[in-house]
Amino acid sequence: MDLQILDHRLRVTSISKNGLVNYTHPLIKLIFLRNRTRCKFFSLTETPENYTVVLDEEGFKELTPSEHLQVESSIWLPLNVASNGNASSSSQAVGVTKIAKSVIAPLAQQHVSVFMLSTYQTDFILVREKDLSVVISTLNEEFNIFKEVEGEYVPVGCQDFTNGLLKNGKEAVQPTVHPVLIPQNQFCVMSLDPDTLPSIATTLIDVLFYSNSPKEESESSTGQDLECIKFFSFSLIDGYISLVMDTEAQRQFPADLLFTSSSGELWRMVRIGGQPLGFDECGIVAQISQPLADGDISAYYISTFSFDHALVPEEDIMSVTDMLHHQRNEPSTT
């Protein structure tokens, strides 16, 4: 398989809920007027805590510094695994599951922190620019590695970088097994023809910026049970749109404009972390994706500024729940 290092230098940021009003205009500009911003990599995810915005340097210029904007200090590079046609794949699983053992686990073993962004089209693995030599040294045997340069993919060899293998090599630390929450929402992973984006503009703006989901409060009749969670993700990356939303939000959009996989599958969320996870701990994605890969269970994975989120097929949620509870009670020693 091929591993592509895409030609984007990304920043990971967070906008506070009460500071959103200060950023509504630049965010709308980034979503609908991308030719004016020259931003080619943009992702906005709303969670109960904040809005996570991942964007390239051109897009980052649109965000004015303020007390409401947090910026992770690193430059991140997006990686993408592309099948070159002769990859052996008995697995029918999609998403992060396909790359759990070939990419996620080896990088965790080398203490490389990753930030995941699954979309309708593909899975982006974000790594810090300073860790690139470690990434290449670690994955060079498994993949043909290419770097995107002005739209062309140029082969990369270990000799092109200082050998960074074990640059992060410390004593192996047993990773923290983080608690998980499993809300009741059913989620959809969808796409949209960019040419039809103006047709859903008012609905998208309303859902992203003005919807407070009173349904969550009014229907929370089971006390402490986690009924639903606010989660909506919009990505516009190299001209491709991806949307992740629950079925409640989906009903607000014209059904004939959004498209999903032929199976029309519904997904359930596993939210990882009891406290904000930060960016330095390694192995969080591996901790979730490895057992899913062992069970051949598909999963989309979206990291945000505070927590991580895996989406698994609805029919698999019970087995995933049991798997993760077992892992929490008997953490792996590997």
Side-chain angles (χ1 to χ4, degrees), residues 239-269:
Y240 292 97
I241 293 175
S242 176
L243 295 140
V244 179
M245 67 185 83
D246 66 13
T247 51
E248 186 72 18
Q250 181 198 17
R251 283 192 279 270
Q252 300 180 50
F253 289 87
D256 58 331
L257 293 182
L258 300 178
F259 50 89
T260 184
S261 63
S262 56
S263 63
E265 200 157 28
L266 292 175
W267 302 78
R268 290 286 299 278
M269 176 181 288

Side-chain angles (χ1 to χ4, degrees), residues 160-175:
D160 298 329
F161 287 81
T162 57
N163 184 0
L165 194 58
L166 296 178
K167 178 177 76 69
N168 295 347
K170 315 158 198 166
E171 282 297 314
V173 178
Q174 177 64 43

